Amino acid sequence: MHVNPFIRAGALAVLCLSAVSFGAADKPGKLDGFARCLGEKKAAMYGAFYCEHCKEQKDLFGDSAQYLPYVECVEKGTRKITDECKALGIRKTPTWIFENDRIEGKVLSLQELSQKSGCRLP
């Protein structure tokens, strides 16, 4: 059976890229522990999927953003605010709520998050 060399090369490229992506996913991000600590300290970031500032906040964490204590304030497939976010009176995103403080509508630096939460930066 003859296999087109372009198909063989494409299949090989897909296999190589898959191996690279799986390897990268296994590596811990440098801010994983910090992001997890925020949740342990009862801090939470409330945001909306369409919010550019929320994306900017998450981007500060890179791959570690998956561990952020994040609450989506918009019902999936709509622009309707969730009952939880209404009850908390969240009007701007991102809103960070810490144990004794609330910061609304502002991207916080990693240093500010560390100071507010008591979580140490690596």
Side-chain angles (χ1 to χ4, degrees):
M1 179 169 94
H2 176 57
V3 176
N4 183 321
F6 291 111
I7 293 174
R8 184 180 305 155
L12 184 58
V14 168
L15 287 174
C16 289
L17 287 174
S18 297
V20 168
S21 349
F22 285 121
D26 294 340
K27 282 186 171 181
K30 74 177 195 174
L31 295 173
D32 287 2
F34 180 66
R36 285 183 172 129
C37 178
L38 291 169
E40 291 165 9
K41 298 283 187 165
K42 308 293 185 231
M45 175 189 162
Y46 293 81
F49 68 88
Y50 55 81
C51 166
E52 283 300 314
H53 294 297
C54 298
K55 180 184 178 326
E56 182 183 342
Q57 182 73 76
K58 289 178 181 179
D59 286 349
L60 290 176
F61 285 85
D63 292 337
S64 301
Q66 65 183 318
Y67 300 112
L68 279 175
Y70 176 77
V71 179
E72 179 61 47
C73 282
V74 179
E75 292 180 14
K76 191 172 187 159
T78 72
R79 292 225 171 189
K80 185 179 175 193
I81 305 301
T82 63
D83 290 339
E84 178 182 4
C85 292
K86 279 182 196 174
L88 290 170
I90 294 173
R91 290 181 171 74
K92 296 180 183 178
T93 55
T95 290
W96 279 95
I97 297 180
F98 300 91
E99 204 164 14
N100 299 315
D101 202 4
R102 177 185 180 126
I103 297 163
E104 195 166 324
K106 181 177 186 235
V107 174
L108 298 177
S109 70
L110 296 176
Q111 292 76 16
E112 288 173 306
L113 287 168
S114 175
Q115 185 179 35
K116 291 280 185 191
S117 67
C119 295
R120 293 178 54 139
L121 282 165

